[in-house]
Amino acid sequence: MTADETTIVERAREFLAGHDPDAMGREAFLRARYDAGLAWVHFPPGLGGLGAPRGLQAVVEREFDGTPQLDVGRQAIGLGMAAPTLLTFGTEEQKRRFLRPLWTGEELWCQLFSEPGAGSDLATLATRAVRDGDDWVVDGQKVWTSGAHMARWAIMVARTDPDVPKHQGLTYFVCDMHASGVEVRPLRQITGEAEFNEVFLTGVRLPDTLRLGAVGEGWRVAQTTLMNERVAIGGTPGRRGGGMMALITETWRTRPELRTHDLHRRLLELWVEAEVTRLAAVRLREQLAAGTPGPEGSGMKLAFARLNQALSGAEVELLREEGLAYDDWTFRRSDTVDFVGRGPGYRYLRAKGNSIEGGTSEILRTIVAERVLGLPAEPRADKDVPWKDLPR
């Protein structure tokens, strides 16, 4: 055990000796853990961390096993995307205001990026933010917004200068989801539920103190969010044979009457692919511990989507007509994200979204080709054209 690790272990055990979650309650326990610098140890002191190496987070989680945990299904966007963006581009006041309730889950976050005419090509987005004194007035429409119906805050990109090329006229904001003019409408999915939403913004006034980064540098700030998003989706830690693979192999072991030679061969191939993907995710997270995420996260997100869809399809094929049965089509507003919940029919349908959410597979392949493999860039006729002159 290194000196750093010993210090972290001692600090965690000292904290646990003085804080009984059963007596304190979950939220109070999490607030105290944040204040002790044991939330995310690589964050600065006073912001939930100790300024320690990021790799020591695993040591903290091991010591806090069995104590109240974060609800990752509800907090994924805040923890995985908003927090690293706030840490990199936020003012000290913004960091102190937002990070603590974000980490404890007392305030949930969503991401106002995609639009009806700007999803795959995010830089073409049309939501406008116009300066009015100390405020910005925002008008536009966002779509495919996970968890907007529960969110207190959102990270948002808006166009603040239509007279310059599309990547240069964007500015990044924190949007108050309780502000006048914010309307959230559910989008019913193929599963019957509504994790996603449309968000209409009509004359929404946001103070300039909610801007992240400089005016016109929204694309640069958004890249930090997007790189972290792909690591959050594709690089999530998993155990060998866990997740979707655990479900299908359990059926294989307990239902010998369903086995066929072809499915056996396919399951073996998927097992190898799942293990390669898991180990690549481990390596990616180690690279992340040494710095900020790079374009390699796009490759992991691609692999995750392809594997999840292949596994859920193989499970339905293995179960035959039983796998096609669906538990409940009742419309519901999901309050969490669960890729493996409910049953095989749900998993099969839900996995279809994996190649759209968090960046489409087509866009991610372009990023991998150009920024990881160094292949020639696609011709871009709109590169130097003012956004207002682009055909729409």
Side-chain angles (χ1 to χ4, degrees):
M1 189 179 289
T2 65
D4 277 352
E5 187 173 345
T6 301
T7 301
I8 294 292
V9 168
E10 290 175 353
R11 191 160 184 142
R13 291 179 181 176
E14 182 181 347
F15 174 88
L16 290 170
H19 297 81
D20 178 2
D22 292 334
M24 297 176 66
R26 179 180 180 277
E27 284 187 1
F29 179 83
L30 291 175
R31 285 190 211 112
R33 180 178 161 181
Y34 181 96
D35 293 340
L38 295 167
W40 30 46
V41 294
H42 59 291
F43 274 40
L47 297 175
L50 299 169
R54 188 171 189 151
L56 291 175
Q57 187 68 36
V59 176
V60 174
E61 298 307 328
R62 187 181 66 216
E63 293 298 320
F64 278 85
D65 186 31
T67 67
Q69 298 294 310
L70 308 182
D71 186 342
V72 177
R74 289 165 59 89
Q75 296 177 249
I77 293 173
L79 295 168
M81 299 155 218
T85 309
L86 284 163
L87 182 66
T88 305
F89 292 98
T91 64
E92 286 305 309
E93 183 179 357
Q94 288 170 337
K95 293 173 190 175
R96 293 189 183 280
R97 164 63 186 85
F98 292 122
L99 286 176
R100 188 176 188 249
L102 181 158
W103 188 81
T104 61
E106 292 168 87
E107 292 181 344
L108 301 179
W109 288 65
C110 65
Q111 182 187 50
L112 298 176
F113 276 23
S114 295
E115 298 186 2
S120 295
D121 186 5
L122 179 62
T124 61
L125 63 83
T127 292
R128 292 286 304 274
V130 178
R131 188 71 184 256
D132 182 17
D134 292 334
D135 292 344
W136 293 85
V137 181
V138 183
D139 289 278
Q141 180 189 351
K142 301 288 183 175
V143 74
W144 306 122
T145 310
S146 304
H149 53 293
M150 304 179 294
R152 175 65 184 85
W153 301 100
I155 43 178
M156 180 183 74
V157 185
R159 187 161 303 283
T160 49
D161 187 351
D163 296 322
V164 296
K166 59 183 183 180
H167 291 90
Q168 300 174 23
L170 303 172
T171 301
Y172 200 109
F173 298 92
V174 171
C175 180
D176 181 353
M177 293 298 288
H178 291 178
S180 176
V182 176
E183 181 186 0
V184 178
R185 300 179 189 171
L187 278 176
R188 192 171 188 186
Q189 301 155 219
I190 193 172
T191 58
E193 59 192 357
E195 295 172 48
F196 305 122
N197 303 272
E198 294 177 293
V199 178
F200 295 84
L201 305 157
T202 308
V204 178
R205 297 191 76 88
L206 300 177
D208 189 54
T209 53
L210 290 179
R211 174 169 47 85
L212 277 183
V215 175
E217 292 194 0
W219 185 251
R220 187 166 73 93
V221 183
Q223 288 306 298
T224 296
T225 305
L226 294 172
M227 293 303 171
N228 279 284
E229 178 179 25
R230 284 147 198 173
V231 171
I233 296 175
T236 302
R239 63 179 175 82
R240 184 180 183 185
M244 198 87 79
M245 179 56 76
L247 297 167
I248 190 170
T249 51
E250 176 65 15
T251 302
W252 182 268
R253 278 192 286 264
T254 58
R255 304 279 299 275
E257 74 279 9
L258 299 175
R259 298 173 187 168
T260 67
H261 174 72
D262 285 346
L263 278 171
H264 185 224
R265 186 182 61 185
R266 190 166 157 196
L267 188 56
L268 290 175
E269 290 172 350
L270 288 171
W271 177 278
V272 172
E273 187 174 344
E275 189 60 4
V276 169
T277 302
R278 186 184 71 82
L279 293 173
V282 171
R283 187 172 65 176
L284 179 67
R285 298 191 74 82
E286 288 175 350
Q287 290 175 339
L288 180 60
T292 55
E296 296 83 359
S298 297
M300 282 310 308
K301 198 271 177 180
L302 263 176
F304 159 78
R306 188 177 63 177
L307 178 64
N308 235 28
Q309 290 172 352
L311 282 168
S312 61
E315 184 183 30
V316 168
E317 197 171 331
L318 172 64
L319 289 166
R320 302 168 195 172
E321 63 272 16
E322 183 184 336
L324 296 174
Y326 200 75
D327 59 342
D328 184 6
W329 289 104
T330 304
F331 175 76
R332 66 183 74 180
R333 292 291 265 160
S334 304
D335 61 2
T336 189
V337 176
D338 183 3
F339 294 144
V340 299
R342 293 172 60 172
Y346 174 84
R347 289 190 280 274
Y348 178 76
L349 294 176
R350 181 61 184 81
K352 301 305 176 192
N354 294 158
S355 52
I356 301 173
E357 56 198 342
T360 65
S361 292
E362 289 75 14
I363 291 295
L364 299 184
R365 286 190 183 95
T366 299
I367 292 172
V368 170
E370 296 181 5
R371 300 175 60 185
V372 178
L373 301 178
L375 298 178
E378 285 187 337
R380 294 187 171 93
D382 59 356
K383 185 176 180 182
D384 299 316
V385 180
W387 176 83
K388 64 181 175 57
D389 296 331
L390 294 177
R392 277 184 286 278

